[in-house]
Amino acid sequence: MKIDILTIFPQMFEGPLTCSLIEKARHKKILDINCTDIRSFSKDKHRTVDDRPFGGGPGMLLKPEPIYDALHHLGVRKKNHLYKKPYKKPYVIYMSPQGNLLNSKKVKDLSKYEHLVILCGHYEGVDERVISWIDEEISIGDYVLTGGEIPAMVLIDSVARMLPGVVKDKNSVEQDSFYNGYLDYPHYTRPAKFKNMKVPEVLLSGNHFEIEKWRKEQSVERTKRRRPDLLKAKAVK
Ligand SMILES: C[S@@+](CC[C@H](N)C(=O)[O-])C[C@H]1O[C@@H](n2cnc3c(N)ncnc32)[C@H](O)[C@@H]1O
């Protein structure tokens, strides 16, 4: 999968994209991630990318021209009419608190695209005309961050985990919370006893049938207690 990030702070991505599983996925060429600095598409000598909002009010807005030029440079055309196959064209996302909520289903859907372009807003956001070049606005939750960079990192990390070969054991992704509509079961490792707290006996029994049964029960029980909304959503399907 190819991912292009459009940002005015490319340096913010240096840590998260150069560590752990994401770094390995890039090394294995499963992920090809590039950061484009919107500022390099500014045409004035001060490399301006923002301006005051028409009508007054607080804050600054990202201007449309450098974003348009940056998108054009990446091969994005309005409405992507040049691309026929649904998952082949670059799918253009704007990280926005007003967008569709990022959840497990959305992450799975996004992992099917071959090329994502992710625009990160900043300050008060972007000039509204930019939205006409966007396929989908995506939010990471009902709160506001200073910029779209951290939301973009959340999206990239969650989508990357869905790609074959990024997480070594596919079962580990599939048993994680939300994947099948349940929360994950509790996990324990050595020592079997620590500060008077014991690991549940069944996990030490070696009886795989009983262990599976216990895990399933724990997973359902936890979901009932912590996230009954997930079970209701499953029942509706
Ligand atoms: C301070 S916010 C702008 C908020 C905007 N004025 C509003 O109230 O909808 C600046 C940028 O951060 C990003 N952002 C902030 N919160 C976000 C969220 N919950 N999900 C995704 N992106 C977010 C967006 O890219 C946004 O353009």
Side-chain angles (χ1 to χ4, degrees), residues 61-62 94-99 119-126 138-149 151-152:
L61 285 172
L62 293 187
Y94 168 46
M95 301 313 304
S96 160
Q98 301 181 24
L119 171 64
C120 307
H122 228 91
Y123 313 123
E124 276 308 312
V126 297
I138 298 183
S139 164
I140 61 159
D142 290 346
Y143 42 82
V144 174
L145 291 101
T146 50
E149 285 74 14

PDB file of all heavy atoms in Angstrom, residues 61-62 94-99 119-126 138-149 151-152, ligand 1:
ATOM      1  N   LEU A  61      -6.400  29.941   8.557  1.00  0.00           N
ATOM      2  CA  LEU A  61      -6.854  28.786   7.761  1.00  0.00           C
ATOM      3  C   LEU A  61      -5.780  28.399   6.765  1.00  0.00           C
ATOM      4  O   LEU A  61      -5.084  29.282   6.238  1.00  0.00           O
ATOM      5  CB  LEU A  61      -8.094  29.169   6.952  1.00  0.00           C
ATOM      6  CG  LEU A  61      -9.401  29.287   7.707  1.00  0.00           C
ATOM      7  CD1 LEU A  61     -10.473  29.866   6.786  1.00  0.00           C
ATOM      8  CD2 LEU A  61      -9.848  27.922   8.227  1.00  0.00           C
ATOM      9  N   LEU A  62      -5.672  27.104   6.445  1.00  0.00           N
ATOM     10  CA  LEU A  62      -4.756  26.693   5.370  1.00  0.00           C
ATOM     11  C   LEU A  62      -5.379  27.106   4.039  1.00  0.00           C
ATOM     12  O   LEU A  62      -6.558  26.843   3.783  1.00  0.00           O
ATOM     13  CB  LEU A  62      -4.504  25.190   5.415  1.00  0.00           C
ATOM     14  CG  LEU A  62      -3.726  24.667   6.630  1.00  0.00           C
ATOM     15  CD1 LEU A  62      -3.394  23.183   6.451  1.00  0.00           C
ATOM     16  CD2 LEU A  62      -2.448  25.458   6.876  1.00  0.00           C
ATOM     17  N   TYR A  94      -9.331  13.642   4.287  1.00  0.00           N
ATOM     18  CA  TYR A  94      -8.977  14.827   5.091  1.00  0.00           C
ATOM     19  C   TYR A  94      -9.268  14.482   6.543  1.00  0.00           C
ATOM     20  O   TYR A  94     -10.406  14.116   6.884  1.00  0.00           O
ATOM     21  CB  TYR A  94      -9.818  16.032   4.637  1.00  0.00           C
ATOM     22  CG  TYR A  94      -9.742  17.229   5.570  1.00  0.00           C
ATOM     23  CD1 TYR A  94      -8.513  17.687   6.066  1.00  0.00           C
ATOM     24  CD2 TYR A  94     -10.902  17.903   5.959  1.00  0.00           C
ATOM     25  CE1 TYR A  94      -8.448  18.771   6.921  1.00  0.00           C
ATOM     26  CE2 TYR A  94     -10.832  18.998   6.808  1.00  0.00           C
ATOM     27  CZ  TYR A  94      -9.611  19.423   7.292  1.00  0.00           C
ATOM     28  OH  TYR A  94      -9.543  20.495   8.153  1.00  0.00           O
ATOM     29  N   MET A  95      -8.262  14.526   7.417  1.00  0.00           N
ATOM     30  CA  MET A  95      -8.460  14.264   8.840  1.00  0.00           C
ATOM     31  C   MET A  95      -9.209  15.461   9.416  1.00  0.00           C
ATOM     32  O   MET A  95      -8.727  16.599   9.329  1.00  0.00           O
ATOM     33  CB  MET A  95      -7.107  14.091   9.566  1.00  0.00           C
ATOM     34  CG  MET A  95      -6.213  12.975   9.055  1.00  0.00           C
ATOM     35  SD  MET A  95      -6.987  11.371   8.788  1.00  0.00           S
ATOM     36  CE  MET A  95      -7.702  10.994  10.374  1.00  0.00           C
ATOM     37  N   SER A  96     -10.394  15.203   9.974  1.00  0.00           N
ATOM     38  CA  SER A  96     -11.241  16.305  10.437  1.00  0.00           C
ATOM     39  C   SER A  96     -12.132  15.855  11.589  1.00  0.00           C
ATOM     40  O   SER A  96     -12.721  14.769  11.520  1.00  0.00           O
ATOM     41  CB  SER A  96     -12.126  16.766   9.272  1.00  0.00           C
ATOM     42  OG  SER A  96     -13.241  17.473   9.756  1.00  0.00           O
ATOM     43  N   PRO A  97     -12.273  16.693  12.631  1.00  0.00           N
ATOM     44  CA  PRO A  97     -13.170  16.297  13.731  1.00  0.00           C
ATOM     45  C   PRO A  97     -14.619  16.199  13.273  1.00  0.00           C
ATOM     46  O   PRO A  97     -15.461  15.633  13.959  1.00  0.00           O
ATOM     47  CB  PRO A  97     -12.985  17.417  14.769  1.00  0.00           C
ATOM     48  CG  PRO A  97     -12.402  18.568  14.031  1.00  0.00           C
ATOM     49  CD  PRO A  97     -11.658  17.996  12.871  1.00  0.00           C
ATOM     50  N   GLN A  98     -14.915  16.743  12.076  1.00  0.00           N
ATOM     51  CA  GLN A  98     -16.295  16.713  11.574  1.00  0.00           C
ATOM     52  C   GLN A  98     -16.546  15.499  10.669  1.00  0.00           C
ATOM     53  O   GLN A  98     -17.624  15.377  10.082  1.00  0.00           O
ATOM     54  CB  GLN A  98     -16.575  17.995  10.783  1.00  0.00           C
ATOM     55  CG  GLN A  98     -16.379  19.244  11.629  1.00  0.00           C
ATOM     56  CD  GLN A  98     -16.676  20.521  10.870  1.00  0.00           C
ATOM     57  OE1 GLN A  98     -17.412  20.517   9.900  1.00  0.00           O
ATOM     58  NE2 GLN A  98     -16.092  21.615  11.323  1.00  0.00           N
ATOM     59  N   GLY A  99     -15.555  14.624  10.535  1.00  0.00           N
ATOM     60  CA  GLY A  99     -15.660  13.518   9.581  1.00  0.00           C
ATOM     61  C   GLY A  99     -16.318  12.275  10.142  1.00  0.00           C
ATOM     62  O   GLY A  99     -16.792  12.245  11.286  1.00  0.00           O
ATOM     63  N   LEU A 119      -4.664  14.236   3.996  1.00  0.00           N
ATOM     64  CA  LEU A 119      -4.416  15.665   4.212  1.00  0.00           C
ATOM     65  C   LEU A 119      -4.601  15.993   5.695  1.00  0.00           C
ATOM     66  O   LEU A 119      -5.641  15.667   6.287  1.00  0.00           O
ATOM     67  CB  LEU A 119      -5.401  16.485   3.355  1.00  0.00           C
ATOM     68  CG  LEU A 119      -5.431  17.986   3.620  1.00  0.00           C
ATOM     69  CD1 LEU A 119      -4.089  18.652   3.285  1.00  0.00           C
ATOM     70  CD2 LEU A 119      -6.563  18.653   2.823  1.00  0.00           C
ATOM     71  N   CYS A 120      -3.586  16.645   6.273  1.00  0.00           N
ATOM     72  CA  CYS A 120      -3.653  17.060   7.673  1.00  0.00           C
ATOM     73  C   CYS A 120      -3.933  18.561   7.733  1.00  0.00           C
ATOM     74  O   CYS A 120      -3.152  19.346   7.187  1.00  0.00           O
ATOM     75  CB  CYS A 120      -2.322  16.799   8.380  1.00  0.00           C
ATOM     76  SG  CYS A 120      -1.741  15.106   8.191  1.00  0.00           S
ATOM     77  N   GLY A 121      -5.018  18.943   8.383  1.00  0.00           N
ATOM     78  CA  GLY A 121      -5.304  20.361   8.580  1.00  0.00           C
ATOM     79  C   GLY A 121      -4.503  20.905   9.749  1.00  0.00           C
ATOM     80  O   GLY A 121      -3.825  20.165  10.460  1.00  0.00           O
ATOM     81  N   HIS A 122      -4.567  22.226   9.936  1.00  0.00           N
ATOM     82  CA  HIS A 122      -3.929  22.842  11.091  1.00  0.00           C
ATOM     83  C   HIS A 122      -4.633  24.156  11.396  1.00  0.00           C
ATOM     84  O   HIS A 122      -5.458  24.607  10.611  1.00  0.00           O
ATOM     85  CB  HIS A 122      -2.427  23.060  10.832  1.00  0.00           C
ATOM     86  CG  HIS A 122      -1.608  22.580  11.985  1.00  0.00           C
ATOM     87  ND1 HIS A 122      -1.106  21.293  12.080  1.00  0.00           N
ATOM     88  CD2 HIS A 122      -1.235  23.198  13.136  1.00  0.00           C
ATOM     89  CE1 HIS A 122      -0.449  21.161  13.222  1.00  0.00           C
ATOM     90  NE2 HIS A 122      -0.514  22.297  13.872  1.00  0.00           N
ATOM     91  N   TYR A 123      -4.304  24.760  12.534  1.00  0.00           N
ATOM     92  CA  TYR A 123      -4.924  26.038  12.951  1.00  0.00           C
ATOM     93  C   TYR A 123      -6.451  25.857  13.006  1.00  0.00           C
ATOM     94  O   TYR A 123      -6.929  24.915  13.605  1.00  0.00           O
ATOM     95  CB  TYR A 123      -4.486  27.183  12.029  1.00  0.00           C
ATOM     96  CG  TYR A 123      -2.986  27.191  11.787  1.00  0.00           C
ATOM     97  CD1 TYR A 123      -2.449  27.126  10.503  1.00  0.00           C
ATOM     98  CD2 TYR A 123      -2.108  27.226  12.878  1.00  0.00           C
ATOM     99  CE1 TYR A 123      -1.081  27.116  10.296  1.00  0.00           C
ATOM    100  CE2 TYR A 123      -0.731  27.211  12.679  1.00  0.00           C
ATOM    101  CZ  TYR A 123      -0.230  27.155  11.385  1.00  0.00           C
ATOM    102  OH  TYR A 123       1.116  27.123  11.186  1.00  0.00           O
ATOM    103  N   GLU A 124      -7.232  26.708  12.309  1.00  0.00           N
ATOM    104  CA  GLU A 124      -8.699  26.544  12.328  1.00  0.00           C
ATOM    105  C   GLU A 124      -9.167  25.499  11.318  1.00  0.00           C
ATOM    106  O   GLU A 124     -10.360  25.235  11.194  1.00  0.00           O
ATOM    107  CB  GLU A 124      -9.394  27.879  12.025  1.00  0.00           C
ATOM    108  CG  GLU A 124      -9.573  28.788  13.231  1.00  0.00           C
ATOM    109  CD  GLU A 124     -10.252  28.112  14.427  1.00  0.00           C
ATOM    110  OE1 GLU A 124     -11.288  27.460  14.254  1.00  0.00           O
ATOM    111  OE2 GLU A 124      -9.718  28.243  15.540  1.00  0.00           O
ATOM    112  N   GLY A 125      -8.246  24.955  10.546  1.00  0.00           N
ATOM    113  CA  GLY A 125      -8.601  23.954   9.546  1.00  0.00           C
ATOM    114  C   GLY A 125      -8.211  24.426   8.152  1.00  0.00           C
ATOM    115  O   GLY A 125      -7.249  25.186   7.987  1.00  0.00           O
ATOM    116  N   VAL A 126      -8.979  23.982   7.148  1.00  0.00           N
ATOM    117  CA  VAL A 126      -8.660  24.329   5.747  1.00  0.00           C
ATOM    118  C   VAL A 126      -9.792  25.165   5.153  1.00  0.00           C
ATOM    119  O   VAL A 126     -10.928  25.092   5.612  1.00  0.00           O
ATOM    120  CB  VAL A 126      -8.456  23.063   4.876  1.00  0.00           C
ATOM    121  CG1 VAL A 126      -7.279  22.243   5.354  1.00  0.00           C
ATOM    122  CG2 VAL A 126      -9.725  22.196   4.843  1.00  0.00           C
ATOM    123  N   ILE A 138     -12.354  12.061   7.797  1.00  0.00           N
ATOM    124  CA  ILE A 138     -12.336  11.050   8.864  1.00  0.00           C
ATOM    125  C   ILE A 138     -11.882  11.678  10.172  1.00  0.00           C
ATOM    126  O   ILE A 138     -10.897  12.420  10.225  1.00  0.00           O
ATOM    127  CB  ILE A 138     -11.434   9.847   8.487  1.00  0.00           C
ATOM    128  CG1 ILE A 138     -11.987   9.166   7.227  1.00  0.00           C
ATOM    129  CG2 ILE A 138     -11.343   8.859   9.643  1.00  0.00           C
ATOM    130  CD1 ILE A 138     -11.236   7.930   6.777  1.00  0.00           C
ATOM    131  N   SER A 139     -12.644  11.353  11.238  1.00  0.00           N
ATOM    132  CA  SER A 139     -12.343  11.852  12.588  1.00  0.00           C
ATOM    133  C   SER A 139     -11.853  10.701  13.448  1.00  0.00           C
ATOM    134  O   SER A 139     -12.304   9.569  13.280  1.00  0.00           O
ATOM    135  CB  SER A 139     -13.632  12.424  13.194  1.00  0.00           C
ATOM    136  OG  SER A 139     -13.501  12.572  14.586  1.00  0.00           O
ATOM    137  N   ILE A 140     -10.955  10.999  14.397  1.00  0.00           N
ATOM    138  CA  ILE A 140     -10.537   9.928  15.316  1.00  0.00           C
ATOM    139  C   ILE A 140     -11.296  10.018  16.645  1.00  0.00           C
ATOM    140  O   ILE A 140     -11.017   9.258  17.571  1.00  0.00           O
ATOM    141  CB  ILE A 140      -9.006   9.892  15.561  1.00  0.00           C
ATOM    142  CG1 ILE A 140      -8.506  11.193  16.188  1.00  0.00           C
ATOM    143  CG2 ILE A 140      -8.261   9.576  14.277  1.00  0.00           C
ATOM    144  CD1 ILE A 140      -7.166  11.015  16.903  1.00  0.00           C
ATOM    145  N   GLY A 141     -12.252  10.921  16.766  1.00  0.00           N
ATOM    146  CA  GLY A 141     -13.051  10.989  17.993  1.00  0.00           C
ATOM    147  C   GLY A 141     -13.634  12.369  18.201  1.00  0.00           C
ATOM    148  O   GLY A 141     -13.221  13.331  17.554  1.00  0.00           O
ATOM    149  N   ASP A 142     -14.586  12.443  19.115  1.00  0.00           N
ATOM    150  CA  ASP A 142     -15.294  13.709  19.354  1.00  0.00           C
ATOM    151  C   ASP A 142     -14.514  14.610  20.310  1.00  0.00           C
ATOM    152  O   ASP A 142     -14.921  14.828  21.463  1.00  0.00           O
ATOM    153  CB  ASP A 142     -16.701  13.424  19.898  1.00  0.00           C
ATOM    154  CG  ASP A 142     -17.592  12.818  18.837  1.00  0.00           C
ATOM    155  OD1 ASP A 142     -17.215  12.860  17.646  1.00  0.00           O
ATOM    156  OD2 ASP A 142     -18.666  12.304  19.199  1.00  0.00           O
ATOM    157  N   TYR A 143     -13.379  15.080  19.858  1.00  0.00           N
ATOM    158  CA  TYR A 143     -12.548  16.052  20.566  1.00  0.00           C
ATOM    159  C   TYR A 143     -11.679  16.694  19.489  1.00  0.00           C
ATOM    160  O   TYR A 143     -11.576  16.166  18.386  1.00  0.00           O
ATOM    161  CB  TYR A 143     -11.672  15.390  21.641  1.00  0.00           C
ATOM    162  CG  TYR A 143     -11.059  14.094  21.179  1.00  0.00           C
ATOM    163  CD1 TYR A 143      -9.885  14.098  20.408  1.00  0.00           C
ATOM    164  CD2 TYR A 143     -11.668  12.878  21.442  1.00  0.00           C
ATOM    165  CE1 TYR A 143      -9.342  12.917  19.931  1.00  0.00           C
ATOM    166  CE2 TYR A 143     -11.132  11.693  20.962  1.00  0.00           C
ATOM    167  CZ  TYR A 143      -9.977  11.716  20.221  1.00  0.00           C
ATOM    168  OH  TYR A 143      -9.450  10.546  19.741  1.00  0.00           O
ATOM    169  N   VAL A 144     -11.072  17.836  19.841  1.00  0.00           N
ATOM    170  CA  VAL A 144     -10.324  18.563  18.804  1.00  0.00           C
ATOM    171  C   VAL A 144      -8.835  18.611  19.147  1.00  0.00           C
ATOM    172  O   VAL A 144      -8.463  18.952  20.270  1.00  0.00           O
ATOM    173  CB  VAL A 144     -10.898  19.989  18.633  1.00  0.00           C
ATOM    174  CG1 VAL A 144     -10.050  20.807  17.673  1.00  0.00           C
ATOM    175  CG2 VAL A 144     -12.333  19.912  18.112  1.00  0.00           C
ATOM    176  N   LEU A 145      -8.012  18.235  18.179  1.00  0.00           N
ATOM    177  CA  LEU A 145      -6.553  18.324  18.350  1.00  0.00           C
ATOM    178  C   LEU A 145      -6.048  19.553  17.595  1.00  0.00           C
ATOM    179  O   LEU A 145      -6.772  20.123  16.780  1.00  0.00           O
ATOM    180  CB  LEU A 145      -5.890  17.069  17.796  1.00  0.00           C
ATOM    181  CG  LEU A 145      -6.158  15.800  18.602  1.00  0.00           C
ATOM    182  CD1 LEU A 145      -7.233  14.966  17.945  1.00  0.00           C
ATOM    183  CD2 LEU A 145      -4.905  14.986  18.754  1.00  0.00           C
ATOM    184  N   THR A 146      -4.776  19.898  17.836  1.00  0.00           N
ATOM    185  CA  THR A 146      -4.238  21.102  17.199  1.00  0.00           C
ATOM    186  C   THR A 146      -4.039  20.917  15.694  1.00  0.00           C
ATOM    187  O   THR A 146      -4.064  21.878  14.950  1.00  0.00           O
ATOM    188  CB  THR A 146      -2.883  21.502  17.816  1.00  0.00           C
ATOM    189  OG1 THR A 146      -2.067  20.350  17.834  1.00  0.00           O
ATOM    190  CG2 THR A 146      -3.041  22.036  19.214  1.00  0.00           C
ATOM    191  N   GLY A 147      -3.836  19.665  15.269  1.00  0.00           N
ATOM    192  CA  GLY A 147      -3.600  19.430  13.843  1.00  0.00           C
ATOM    193  C   GLY A 147      -3.984  18.019  13.451  1.00  0.00           C
ATOM    194  O   GLY A 147      -4.240  17.164  14.309  1.00  0.00           O
ATOM    195  N   GLY A 148      -3.984  17.749  12.154  1.00  0.00           N
ATOM    196  CA  GLY A 148      -4.370  16.431  11.658  1.00  0.00           C
ATOM    197  C   GLY A 148      -3.236  15.414  11.654  1.00  0.00           C
ATOM    198  O   GLY A 148      -3.434  14.276  11.226  1.00  0.00           O
ATOM    199  N   GLU A 149      -2.043  15.827  12.124  1.00  0.00           N
ATOM    200  CA  GLU A 149      -0.886  14.919  12.038  1.00  0.00           C
ATOM    201  C   GLU A 149      -1.054  13.706  12.959  1.00  0.00           C
ATOM    202  O   GLU A 149      -0.845  12.563  12.530  1.00  0.00           O
ATOM    203  CB  GLU A 149       0.417  15.674  12.375  1.00  0.00           C
ATOM    204  CG  GLU A 149       0.909  16.604  11.273  1.00  0.00           C
ATOM    205  CD  GLU A 149       0.106  17.903  11.114  1.00  0.00           C
ATOM    206  OE1 GLU A 149      -0.688  18.226  12.038  1.00  0.00           O
ATOM    207  OE2 GLU A 149       0.253  18.586  10.098  1.00  0.00           O
ATOM    208  N   PRO A 151      -3.922  12.509  14.299  1.00  0.00           N
ATOM    209  CA  PRO A 151      -4.977  11.660  13.731  1.00  0.00           C
ATOM    210  C   PRO A 151      -4.499  10.847  12.523  1.00  0.00           C
ATOM    211  O   PRO A 151      -4.851   9.665  12.385  1.00  0.00           O
ATOM    212  CB  PRO A 151      -6.056  12.672  13.321  1.00  0.00           C
ATOM    213  CG  PRO A 151      -5.880  13.803  14.280  1.00  0.00           C
ATOM    214  CD  PRO A 151      -4.399  13.898  14.517  1.00  0.00           C
ATOM    215  N   ALA A 152      -3.680  11.437  11.653  1.00  0.00           N
ATOM    216  CA  ALA A 152      -3.180  10.689  10.485  1.00  0.00           C
ATOM    217  C   ALA A 152      -2.319   9.511  10.944  1.00  0.00           C
ATOM    218  O   ALA A 152      -2.395   8.408  10.389  1.00  0.00           O
ATOM    219  CB  ALA A 152      -2.379  11.602   9.562  1.00  0.00           C
TER     220      ALA A 152
HETATM  221  C1  LIG B   1      -7.933  22.862  15.647  1.00  0.00           C
HETATM  222  S1  LIG B   1      -8.469  21.737  14.407  1.00  0.00           S
HETATM  223  C2  LIG B   1      -9.721  22.630  13.580  1.00  0.00           C
HETATM  224  C3  LIG B   1     -11.071  22.350  14.140  1.00  0.00           C
HETATM  225  C4  LIG B   1     -12.203  23.006  13.342  1.00  0.00           C
HETATM  226  N1  LIG B   1     -12.185  24.430  13.471  1.00  0.00           N
HETATM  227  C5  LIG B   1     -13.527  22.450  13.854  1.00  0.00           C
HETATM  228  O1  LIG B   1     -13.967  22.893  14.907  1.00  0.00           O
HETATM  229  O2  LIG B   1     -14.084  21.537  13.213  1.00  0.00           O
HETATM  230  C6  LIG B   1      -7.124  21.736  13.278  1.00  0.00           C
HETATM  231  C7  LIG B   1      -6.995  20.472  12.456  1.00  0.00           C
HETATM  232  O3  LIG B   1      -6.753  19.371  13.308  1.00  0.00           O
HETATM  233  C8  LIG B   1      -7.274  18.177  12.743  1.00  0.00           C
HETATM  234  N2  LIG B   1      -8.126  17.534  13.754  1.00  0.00           N
HETATM  235  C9  LIG B   1      -8.461  18.053  14.956  1.00  0.00           C
HETATM  236  N3  LIG B   1      -9.230  17.226  15.647  1.00  0.00           N
HETATM  237  C10 LIG B   1      -9.373  16.113  14.896  1.00  0.00           C
HETATM  238  C11 LIG B   1     -10.081  14.878  15.076  1.00  0.00           C
HETATM  239  N4  LIG B   1     -10.792  14.633  16.166  1.00  0.00           N
HETATM  240  N5  LIG B   1     -10.003  13.955  14.098  1.00  0.00           N
HETATM  241  C12 LIG B   1      -9.299  14.195  12.964  1.00  0.00           C
HETATM  242  N6  LIG B   1      -8.637  15.357  12.733  1.00  0.00           N
HETATM  243  C13 LIG B   1      -8.676  16.296  13.684  1.00  0.00           C
HETATM  244  C14 LIG B   1      -7.982  18.566  11.447  1.00  0.00           C
HETATM  245  O4  LIG B   1      -7.127  18.279  10.358  1.00  0.00           O
HETATM  246  C15 LIG B   1      -8.179  20.064  11.624  1.00  0.00           C
HETATM  247  O5  LIG B   1      -8.179  20.748  10.395  1.00  0.00           O
END
